[in-house]
Amino acid sequence: MTTSRLHAADITIGYDGRSISQQLSVEIPADSFTVIIGPNACGKSTLLRALSRLIAPSAGRVILDGADILSYKTKEVSRRLGLLPQSSLAPDGITVADLVARGRAPHQGFLRQWSRDDERAVAAAMRVTSTTDLSARLVDELSGGQRQRVWVALALAQETDLLLLDEPTTFLDIAHQIDLLELFTDLHEQGRTLVAVLHDLNQAARYGTHLIAMRDGEVVATGAPEEVITEELVEHVFGLRCRVVPDPVAGTPQVVPLGRERGRTSPVPAPAHV
Ligand SMILES: Nc1ncnc2c1ncn2[C@@H]1O[C@H](COP(=O)(O)OP(=O)(O)O)[C@@H](O)[C@H]1O
Ligand SMILES: [Mg+2]
């Protein structure tokens, strides 16, 4: 039996009485690097919000480490689980160093002030996200990609062994995307459980150990990348005809779109030489 530290059991979630997912059950296998895929607006962020207690289900339960997530104190949840939201607004005029330091708030209390441990965690989080050189800069004045790395640093500084990341590679150029995904792989190999929403199916297949494919608020497939990323699944979930070939570097499934004009069985024409 798979163990899971986090799962949703028959949850109904949504906004203002409008449900996005009904009776949804999702399991995040312990020690996995789980990647959630699915088209825009299918409910990925809503699910992550429920899994991290930002929204409460109107039915069903989210179970974190054996207990209903709603039964924990807020700080206790933040010591067990970190969330990188899809979009966040930094307080006006805050520097990078001060924003990342906020990741340590769950570890502080009335009697427990800023410590060496906090200093070390912040420095480490900034080092691995290559944001150390930005520490004195104002967050408002960074590029989208720099800002994204600062938010990742904040989530890492929290030092939770469960990390939920909503589109962490948005705004990043391809080299920074790969840097970050490899950092997540390192964290995963060091024993953390990660859940990330990614739009790039090839990256999902290459870096994820467990995939969850969603459509219209429902989970339509779960499993290893080789089981989930198939031509049928991509067409069913995204309405996109494609070929799935082995990634030439990693051997994992690689999605090659056929484009609008080509049927599923037509060969991909060789490039014309001029
Ligand atoms: N704060 C909100 N209030 C009302 N509706 C929302 C809110 N956030 C998302 N939605 C709606 O919920 C649906 C699912 O959104 P979301 O979970 O953000 O999708 P995804 O992350 O898969 O793109 C969409 O129809 C979206 O418009
Ligand atoms: Mg989203």
Side-chain angles (χ1 to χ4, degrees), residues 15-16 18 20 39-47 49 86 166:
Y15 307 93
D16 312 317
R18 188 169 72 95
I20 303 299
N40 290 330
C42 74
K44 304 179 299 295
S45 295
T46 304
L47 172 61
R49 285 186 199 120
Q86 189 172 347
D166 200 349

